[in-house]
Amino acid sequence: MTDYFPVMIAGFAAVVGITPITRRLAFRYGVLDQPSARKVHQSPTPLMGGLAIYAALVLALLFFSPPFYIVEFGAIMAGATWLVLLGFVDDRNGMRPWIKMAGQVLAGVVLVLAGIQIHAFSSDVLNVGLTLFWIVGITNAMNFQDNMDGLAAGITAIASAFFFVMAVREQLTLVSSLAAALAGASVGFLIYNFSPASTFMGDMGSMVLGFLLAVLAIKLDFSATPDLQVVTSAVPVVVLGFPIFDMVLVVFTRLRERRSPMQGGKDHTSHRLVTLGISQRTAVLVLYGVCIVFGSIAVQLSQATVDEGLRIGAALVLTLVVAFIFLEWTYIRSKR
Protein backbone atom coordinates (compact mmCIF):
# COMPACT_ATOMS: atom_id res chain seq x y z
CA MET A 1 0.00 0.00 0.00
CA THR A 2 2.86 2.38 0.78
CA ASP A 3 3.96 2.16 -2.87
CA TYR A 4 0.95 4.32 -3.77
CA PHE A 5 1.30 6.99 -1.09
CA PRO A 6 3.61 9.13 -3.30
CA VAL A 7 0.85 9.16 -5.95
CA MET A 8 -1.73 10.29 -3.41
CA ILE A 9 0.54 12.95 -1.91
CA ALA A 10 1.54 14.21 -5.36
CA GLY A 11 -2.12 14.51 -6.38
CA PHE A 12 -2.86 16.46 -3.20
CA ALA A 13 0.14 18.79 -3.48
CA ALA A 14 -0.33 19.43 -7.21
CA VAL A 15 -3.98 20.47 -6.91
CA VAL A 16 -3.17 22.73 -3.95
CA GLY A 17 -0.53 24.49 -6.05
CA ILE A 18 -2.44 24.63 -9.34
CA THR A 19 -5.90 25.71 -8.11
CA PRO A 20 -4.90 29.36 -7.42
CA ILE A 21 -3.66 29.54 -11.02
CA THR A 22 -6.93 28.21 -12.43
CA ARG A 23 -8.85 30.70 -10.28
CA ARG A 24 -6.98 33.58 -11.90
CA LEU A 25 -7.52 32.08 -15.35
CA ALA A 26 -11.24 31.77 -14.69
CA PHE A 27 -11.53 35.46 -13.77
CA ARG A 28 -9.39 36.46 -16.75
CA TYR A 29 -11.45 34.53 -19.31
CA GLY A 30 -14.82 35.01 -17.67
CA VAL A 31 -15.46 31.38 -16.77
CA LEU A 32 -17.60 32.21 -13.74
CA ASP A 33 -20.69 30.70 -12.15
CA GLN A 34 -23.20 33.50 -11.73
CA PRO A 35 -25.70 33.47 -8.82
CA SER A 36 -29.29 32.52 -9.62
CA ALA A 37 -32.47 31.39 -7.90
CA ARG A 38 -31.57 27.70 -8.21
CA LYS A 39 -28.02 28.12 -6.84
CA VAL A 40 -26.77 28.54 -3.29
CA HIS A 41 -23.81 30.93 -3.80
CA GLN A 42 -24.29 34.71 -3.67
CA SER A 43 -21.44 36.06 -5.83
CA PRO A 44 -19.72 35.14 -9.13
CA THR A 45 -17.37 32.21 -8.48
CA PRO A 46 -14.56 30.89 -10.73
CA LEU A 47 -15.39 27.60 -12.44
CA MET A 48 -12.05 26.19 -13.60
CA GLY A 49 -11.19 24.12 -10.55
CA GLY A 50 -11.74 21.00 -12.62
CA LEU A 51 -8.70 21.90 -14.71
CA ALA A 52 -6.57 21.89 -11.54
CA ILE A 53 -7.89 18.44 -10.57
CA TYR A 54 -7.21 17.08 -14.05
CA ALA A 55 -3.68 18.51 -14.20
CA ALA A 56 -2.88 17.18 -10.72
CA LEU A 57 -4.06 13.69 -11.69
CA VAL A 58 -1.94 13.64 -14.83
CA LEU A 59 1.18 14.84 -13.01
CA ALA A 60 0.76 12.40 -10.13
CA LEU A 61 0.18 9.40 -12.39
CA LEU A 62 2.93 10.20 -14.88
CA PHE A 63 5.69 10.89 -12.38
CA PHE A 64 4.87 8.89 -9.25
CA SER A 65 2.75 5.89 -10.19
CA PRO A 66 4.12 2.33 -10.43
CA PRO A 67 4.15 0.91 -14.00
CA PHE A 68 0.80 -0.24 -15.40
CA TYR A 69 -0.86 -0.97 -18.74
CA ILE A 70 -0.05 1.94 -21.03
CA VAL A 71 -2.87 1.33 -23.53
CA GLU A 72 -5.57 1.39 -20.87
CA PHE A 73 -3.99 4.40 -19.15
CA GLY A 74 -3.82 6.23 -22.47
CA ALA A 75 -7.51 5.55 -23.15
CA ILE A 76 -8.52 6.74 -19.68
CA MET A 77 -6.51 9.95 -20.01
CA ALA A 78 -7.82 10.53 -23.54
CA GLY A 79 -11.41 10.23 -22.31
CA ALA A 80 -10.72 12.50 -19.33
CA THR A 81 -9.00 15.08 -21.56
CA TRP A 82 -11.95 15.11 -23.94
CA LEU A 83 -14.38 15.66 -21.05
CA VAL A 84 -12.24 18.52 -19.68
CA LEU A 85 -12.49 20.27 -23.06
CA LEU A 86 -16.21 19.52 -23.29
CA GLY A 87 -16.76 20.81 -19.77
CA PHE A 88 -14.80 24.00 -20.45
CA VAL A 89 -17.04 24.85 -23.40
CA ASP A 90 -20.13 24.10 -21.32
CA ASP A 91 -18.92 26.15 -18.34
CA ARG A 92 -18.04 29.12 -20.53
CA ASN A 93 -20.75 29.16 -23.18
CA GLY A 94 -23.35 26.59 -22.16
CA MET A 95 -24.24 23.44 -24.08
CA ARG A 96 -27.39 21.49 -24.92
CA PRO A 97 -27.74 18.41 -22.66
CA TRP A 98 -27.94 15.97 -25.59
CA ILE A 99 -24.69 17.30 -27.06
CA LYS A 100 -22.95 16.92 -23.71
CA MET A 101 -24.31 13.39 -23.35
CA ALA A 102 -23.11 12.51 -26.86
CA GLY A 103 -19.65 13.70 -25.80
CA GLN A 104 -19.79 11.44 -22.76
CA VAL A 105 -20.72 8.48 -24.97
CA LEU A 106 -17.69 9.24 -27.13
CA ALA A 107 -15.44 9.13 -24.05
CA GLY A 108 -16.95 5.75 -23.22
CA VAL A 109 -16.31 4.47 -26.75
CA VAL A 110 -12.61 5.29 -26.31
CA LEU A 111 -12.55 3.05 -23.24
CA VAL A 112 -14.32 0.20 -25.02
CA LEU A 113 -11.83 0.35 -27.90
CA ALA A 114 -9.02 -0.04 -25.35
CA GLY A 115 -10.69 -3.11 -23.84
CA ILE A 116 -12.10 -1.40 -20.75
CA GLN A 117 -15.68 -2.65 -20.52
CA ILE A 118 -18.13 -4.61 -18.41
CA HIS A 119 -18.29 -8.37 -19.05
CA ALA A 120 -21.70 -9.30 -17.70
CA PHE A 121 -23.21 -11.02 -20.74
CA SER A 122 -22.15 -13.48 -23.41
CA SER A 123 -23.11 -10.89 -26.05
CA ASP A 124 -20.51 -8.24 -26.89
CA VAL A 125 -23.24 -5.87 -28.00
CA LEU A 126 -24.97 -6.06 -24.62
CA ASN A 127 -21.65 -5.64 -22.79
CA VAL A 128 -20.75 -2.54 -24.79
CA GLY A 129 -24.23 -1.10 -24.30
CA LEU A 130 -24.08 -1.67 -20.54
CA THR A 131 -20.60 -0.16 -20.38
CA LEU A 132 -21.66 3.03 -22.17
CA PHE A 133 -24.81 3.26 -20.02
CA TRP A 134 -22.67 2.93 -16.87
CA ILE A 135 -20.09 5.50 -18.02
CA VAL A 136 -22.71 8.08 -18.99
CA GLY A 137 -24.84 7.35 -15.92
CA ILE A 138 -22.06 7.75 -13.34
CA THR A 139 -20.59 10.76 -15.16
CA ASN A 140 -23.95 12.52 -14.89
CA ALA A 141 -24.56 11.26 -11.35
CA MET A 142 -21.39 13.04 -10.21
CA ASN A 143 -22.29 16.07 -12.32
CA PHE A 144 -25.52 16.18 -10.29
CA GLN A 145 -23.52 16.18 -7.03
CA ASP A 146 -21.80 19.46 -7.86
CA ASN A 147 -24.71 21.33 -6.26
CA MET A 148 -23.25 22.41 -2.91
CA ASP A 149 -19.81 23.50 -1.70
CA GLY A 150 -17.49 20.52 -1.23
CA LEU A 151 -20.05 17.83 -2.02
CA ALA A 152 -18.77 16.38 -5.32
CA ALA A 153 -15.10 16.53 -4.29
CA GLY A 154 -15.82 14.96 -0.89
CA ILE A 155 -17.91 12.14 -2.37
CA THR A 156 -15.14 11.43 -4.88
CA ALA A 157 -12.47 11.40 -2.17
CA ILE A 158 -14.45 8.91 -0.06
CA ALA A 159 -15.42 6.63 -2.96
CA SER A 160 -11.92 6.57 -4.43
CA ALA A 161 -10.46 5.82 -0.97
CA PHE A 162 -12.66 2.72 -0.69
CA PHE A 163 -11.78 1.70 -4.26
CA PHE A 164 -8.12 2.16 -3.33
CA VAL A 165 -8.30 -0.09 -0.26
CA MET A 166 -10.02 -2.91 -2.14
CA ALA A 167 -7.80 -2.56 -5.22
CA VAL A 168 -4.62 -2.79 -3.14
CA ARG A 169 -5.97 -5.94 -1.48
CA GLU A 170 -6.61 -7.47 -4.92
CA GLN A 171 -3.21 -6.24 -6.23
CA LEU A 172 -4.73 -4.18 -9.05
CA THR A 173 -1.99 -1.70 -10.00
CA LEU A 174 -3.94 0.53 -12.40
CA VAL A 175 -6.97 0.86 -10.11
CA SER A 176 -4.79 1.44 -7.05
CA SER A 177 -2.76 4.18 -8.76
CA LEU A 178 -5.77 5.93 -10.26
CA ALA A 179 -7.76 5.75 -7.01
CA ALA A 180 -4.81 7.07 -4.99
CA ALA A 181 -4.30 10.04 -7.32
CA LEU A 182 -8.03 10.76 -7.42
CA ALA A 183 -8.36 10.65 -3.63
CA GLY A 184 -5.36 12.92 -3.11
CA ALA A 185 -6.47 15.47 -5.70
CA SER A 186 -10.06 15.53 -4.39
CA VAL A 187 -8.97 16.13 -0.80
CA GLY A 188 -6.56 18.85 -1.92
CA PHE A 189 -9.30 20.60 -3.89
CA LEU A 190 -11.53 20.65 -0.80
CA ILE A 191 -9.17 23.23 0.70
CA TYR A 192 -10.61 25.71 -1.81
CA ASN A 193 -14.01 24.14 -2.42
CA PHE A 194 -15.37 23.33 1.05
CA SER A 195 -17.91 25.83 2.37
CA PRO A 196 -17.51 28.73 1.82
CA ALA A 197 -15.98 27.79 -1.55
CA SER A 198 -13.60 30.19 -3.28
CA THR A 199 -13.70 28.19 -6.51
CA PHE A 200 -15.90 25.57 -8.17
CA MET A 201 -14.83 22.59 -10.27
CA GLY A 202 -17.47 23.19 -12.95
CA ASP A 203 -18.55 20.57 -15.46
CA MET A 204 -14.95 20.11 -16.52
CA GLY A 205 -14.32 18.77 -13.02
CA SER A 206 -17.51 16.93 -12.11
CA MET A 207 -17.70 15.05 -15.43
CA VAL A 208 -14.06 13.96 -15.16
CA LEU A 209 -14.57 12.79 -11.57
CA GLY A 210 -17.64 10.80 -12.57
CA PHE A 211 -15.86 9.34 -15.60
CA LEU A 212 -12.89 8.20 -13.52
CA LEU A 213 -15.07 6.74 -10.76
CA ALA A 214 -16.96 4.79 -13.44
CA VAL A 215 -13.63 3.47 -14.76
CA LEU A 216 -12.52 2.44 -11.26
CA ALA A 217 -15.78 0.54 -10.83
CA ILE A 218 -15.33 -1.32 -14.12
CA LYS A 219 -11.69 -2.20 -13.44
CA LEU A 220 -12.22 -3.30 -9.82
CA ASP A 221 -11.98 -7.06 -10.31
CA PHE A 222 -12.16 -9.59 -7.48
CA SER A 223 -10.52 -13.01 -7.56
CA ALA A 224 -13.79 -14.66 -6.53
CA THR A 225 -15.33 -18.00 -7.42
CA PRO A 226 -18.16 -17.90 -10.01
CA ASP A 227 -20.87 -18.27 -7.34
CA LEU A 228 -19.51 -15.23 -5.46
CA GLN A 229 -19.30 -13.01 -8.53
CA VAL A 230 -22.98 -12.15 -8.19
CA VAL A 231 -22.06 -10.56 -4.84
CA THR A 232 -18.75 -8.94 -5.80
CA SER A 233 -20.25 -7.43 -8.95
CA ALA A 234 -22.50 -5.31 -6.70
CA VAL A 235 -19.53 -3.87 -4.75
CA PRO A 236 -18.72 -0.94 -7.11
CA VAL A 237 -22.43 -0.08 -7.35
CA VAL A 238 -22.66 0.13 -3.55
CA VAL A 239 -19.49 2.27 -3.30
CA LEU A 240 -21.21 4.74 -5.63
CA GLY A 241 -24.57 4.13 -3.99
CA PHE A 242 -25.27 7.69 -2.87
CA PRO A 243 -24.74 9.51 -6.21
CA ILE A 244 -26.80 6.80 -7.92
CA PHE A 245 -29.56 7.14 -5.31
CA ASP A 246 -29.61 10.93 -5.60
CA MET A 247 -29.77 10.86 -9.39
CA VAL A 248 -32.71 8.41 -9.33
CA LEU A 249 -34.47 10.57 -6.73
CA VAL A 250 -33.99 13.79 -8.67
CA VAL A 251 -34.95 12.31 -12.04
CA PHE A 252 -38.08 10.78 -10.50
CA THR A 253 -39.09 14.12 -8.97
CA ARG A 254 -38.52 16.08 -12.17
CA LEU A 255 -40.44 13.59 -14.30
CA ARG A 256 -43.26 13.58 -11.75
CA GLU A 257 -43.40 17.36 -12.05
CA ARG A 258 -43.22 17.08 -15.84
CA ARG A 259 -39.85 18.79 -16.02
CA SER A 260 -36.78 17.77 -17.98
CA PRO A 261 -34.42 15.53 -15.93
CA MET A 262 -31.54 17.74 -17.12
CA GLN A 263 -33.17 20.95 -15.84
CA GLY A 264 -31.37 22.18 -12.75
CA GLY A 265 -33.09 22.89 -9.46
CA LYS A 266 -32.91 22.73 -5.68
CA ASP A 267 -34.30 19.20 -5.51
CA HIS A 268 -31.21 17.16 -4.67
CA THR A 269 -30.80 15.21 -1.45
CA SER A 270 -28.51 17.94 -0.10
CA HIS A 271 -31.17 20.62 -0.67
CA ARG A 272 -33.84 18.48 0.97
CA LEU A 273 -31.69 18.07 4.06
CA VAL A 274 -31.34 21.85 4.27
CA THR A 275 -35.15 22.20 4.25
CA LEU A 276 -35.14 20.14 7.46
CA GLY A 277 -33.41 23.03 9.19
CA ILE A 278 -29.71 22.16 9.04
CA SER A 279 -26.99 24.29 7.45
CA GLN A 280 -25.45 23.61 4.05
CA ARG A 281 -22.14 22.64 5.65
CA THR A 282 -23.86 20.20 8.01
CA ALA A 283 -25.83 18.70 5.11
CA VAL A 284 -22.61 18.06 3.21
CA LEU A 285 -20.99 16.46 6.27
CA VAL A 286 -24.05 14.24 6.76
CA LEU A 287 -23.77 13.07 3.16
CA TYR A 288 -20.06 12.38 3.66
CA GLY A 289 -21.14 10.07 6.47
CA VAL A 290 -23.69 8.40 4.20
CA CYS A 291 -20.98 7.76 1.60
CA ILE A 292 -18.70 6.27 4.26
CA VAL A 293 -21.52 3.91 5.28
CA PHE A 294 -22.01 2.87 1.65
CA GLY A 295 -18.26 2.25 1.29
CA SER A 296 -18.13 0.20 4.50
CA ILE A 297 -21.03 -1.94 3.31
CA ALA A 298 -19.22 -2.46 -0.01
CA VAL A 299 -16.11 -3.71 1.83
CA GLN A 300 -18.31 -6.15 3.77
CA LEU A 301 -19.89 -7.35 0.51
CA SER A 302 -16.48 -7.92 -1.07
CA GLN A 303 -15.76 -10.54 1.62
CA ALA A 304 -19.27 -11.93 2.10
CA THR A 305 -20.75 -15.27 1.17
CA VAL A 306 -23.72 -15.43 -1.19
CA ASP A 307 -26.22 -15.72 1.68
CA GLU A 308 -24.58 -12.87 3.60
CA GLY A 309 -24.55 -10.77 0.44
CA LEU A 310 -28.26 -11.34 -0.15
CA ARG A 311 -29.10 -10.36 3.42
CA ILE A 312 -26.97 -7.22 3.23
CA GLY A 313 -28.47 -6.34 -0.15
CA ALA A 314 -32.05 -6.81 1.05
CA ALA A 315 -31.45 -4.63 4.12
CA LEU A 316 -29.80 -1.94 1.99
CA VAL A 317 -32.61 -1.87 -0.57
CA LEU A 318 -35.24 -1.60 2.17
CA THR A 319 -33.35 1.28 3.79
CA LEU A 320 -33.04 3.11 0.48
CA VAL A 321 -36.75 2.73 -0.26
CA VAL A 322 -37.62 4.24 3.12
CA ALA A 323 -35.12 7.08 2.57
CA PHE A 324 -36.52 7.71 -0.91
CA ILE A 325 -40.09 7.99 0.38
CA PHE A 326 -39.05 10.26 3.27
CA LEU A 327 -37.02 12.62 1.05
CA GLU A 328 -39.79 12.82 -1.54
CA TRP A 329 -42.30 13.62 1.20
CA THR A 330 -39.93 16.27 2.56
CA TYR A 331 -39.64 17.86 -0.89
CA ILE A 332 -43.42 17.89 -1.47
CA ARG A 333 -44.00 19.42 1.98
CA SER A 334 -41.40 22.15 1.37
CA LYS A 335 -42.99 23.03 -1.98
CA ARG A 336 -46.39 23.44 -0.35
Side-chain angles (χ1 to χ4, degrees), residues 26 30-33 46-51 54 78-97 99-104 107 139-140 143 146 200-209 211:
V31 188
L32 304 172
D33 193 11
L47 268 173
M48 292 183 65
L51 181 61
Y54 166 79
T81 303
W82 166 246
L83 290 179
V84 166
L85 296 174
L86 193 72
F88 174 78
V89 174
D90 188 32
D91 290 336
R92 194 169 191 273
N93 302 317
M95 184 180 295
R96 292 183 182 276
I99 297 178
K100 188 161 56 174
M101 194 169 294
Q104 295 164 1
T139 299
N140 282 290
N143 195 14
D146 192 24
F200 295 155
M201 65 177 66
D203 277 10
M204 71 172 70
S206 59
M207 286 200 298
V208 169
L209 295 184
F211 175 77

Side-chain angles (χ1 to χ4, degrees), residues 67-123:
F68 43 66
Y69 299 105
I70 190 65
V71 174
E72 292 188 346
F73 174 70
I76 294 169
M77 287 298 101
T81 303
W82 166 246
L83 290 179
V84 166
L85 296 174
L86 193 72
F88 174 78
V89 174
D90 188 32
D91 290 336
R92 194 169 191 273
N93 302 317
M95 184 180 295
R96 292 183 182 276
W98 68 268
I99 297 178
K100 188 161 56 174
M101 194 169 294
Q104 295 164 1
V105 171
L106 183 58
V109 169
V110 173
L111 294 180
V112 171
L113 292 176
I116 301 174
Q117 66 177 70
I118 298 170
H119 299 281
F121 306 105
S122 57
S123 168

Side-chain angles (χ1 to χ4, degrees), residues 138-213:
I138 298 303
T139 299
N140 282 290
M142 286 308 302
N143 195 14
F144 274 27
Q145 299 318 302
D146 192 24
N147 61 71
M148 201 165 281
D149 293 356
L151 185 56
I155 290 173
T156 302
I158 293 166
S160 54
F162 279 105
F163 279 131
F164 172 71
V165 169
M166 290 184 282
V168 169
R169 191 182 65 200
E170 298 296 324
Q171 299 181 345
L172 302 172
T173 305
L174 177 59
V175 179
S176 300
S177 298
L178 185 57
L182 191 56
S186 299
V187 172
F189 186 66
L190 280 174
I191 293 176
Y192 304 96
N193 187 238
F194 194 71
S195 179
S198 61
T199 187
F200 295 155
M201 65 177 66
D203 277 10
M204 71 172 70
S206 59
M207 286 200 298
V208 169
L209 295 184
F211 175 77
L212 294 178
L213 287 174

Side-chain angles (χ1 to χ4, degrees), residues 125-147:
V125 174
L126 291 178
N127 286 329
V128 170
L130 181 59
T131 300
L132 295 179
F133 177 79
W134 175 257
I135 293 291
V136 173
I138 298 303
T139 299
N140 282 290
M142 286 308 302
N143 195 14
F144 274 27
Q145 299 318 302
D146 192 24
N147 61 71

Side-chain angles (χ1 to χ4, degrees), residues 44 60 82 88 110 119 132 154 160-161 192 197 204 233 241 249 251-252 264 266 270 272 281 317 320 324 330:
W82 166 246
F88 174 78
V110 173
H119 299 281
L132 295 179
S160 54
Y192 304 96
M204 71 172 70
S233 62
L249 176 68
V251 169
F252 173 83
K266 291 185 177 181
S270 55
R272 302 182 196 215
R281 178 177 291 195
V317 169
L320 291 176
F324 188 98
T330 300

Side-chain angles (χ1 to χ4, degrees), residues 141-309:
M142 286 308 302
N143 195 14
F144 274 27
Q145 299 318 302
D146 192 24
N147 61 71
M148 201 165 281
D149 293 356
L151 185 56
I155 290 173
T156 302
I158 293 166
S160 54
F162 279 105
F163 279 131
F164 172 71
V165 169
M166 290 184 282
V168 169
R169 191 182 65 200
E170 298 296 324
Q171 299 181 345
L172 302 172
T173 305
L174 177 59
V175 179
S176 300
S177 298
L178 185 57
L182 191 56
S186 299
V187 172
F189 186 66
L190 280 174
I191 293 176
Y192 304 96
N193 187 238
F194 194 71
S195 179
S198 61
T199 187
F200 295 155
M201 65 177 66
D203 277 10
M204 71 172 70
S206 59
M207 286 200 298
V208 169
L209 295 184
F211 175 77
L212 294 178
L213 287 174
V215 171
L216 290 176
I218 293 173
K219 293 296 296 178
L220 184 65
D221 187 26
F222 294 93
S223 53
T225 57
D227 61 318
L228 286 177
Q229 287 179 357
V230 67
V231 177
T232 57
S233 62
V235 169
V237 179
V238 175
V239 173
L240 299 173
F242 172 68
I244 294 172
F245 170 84
D246 182 69
M247 183 172 66
V248 172
L249 176 68
V250 170
V251 169
F252 173 83
T253 298
R254 292 176 184 176
L255 290 177
R256 180 178 58 77
E257 295 182 335
R258 298 182 181 180
R259 292 188 288 135
S260 167
M262 304 308 292
Q263 177 187 345
K266 291 185 177 181
D267 48 8
H268 293 273
T269 304
S270 55
H271 300 128
R272 302 182 196 215
L273 292 179
V274 171
T275 64
L276 295 175
I278 65 178
S279 67
Q280 293 178 24
R281 178 177 291 195
T282 302
V284 169
L285 293 175
V286 167
L287 295 179
Y288 286 176
V290 170
C291 291
I292 291 172
V293 171
F294 270 111
S296 301
I297 293 172
V299 172
Q300 282 186 295
L301 273 178
S302 69
Q303 300 172 309
T305 64
V306 174
D307 288 341
E308 291 171 341

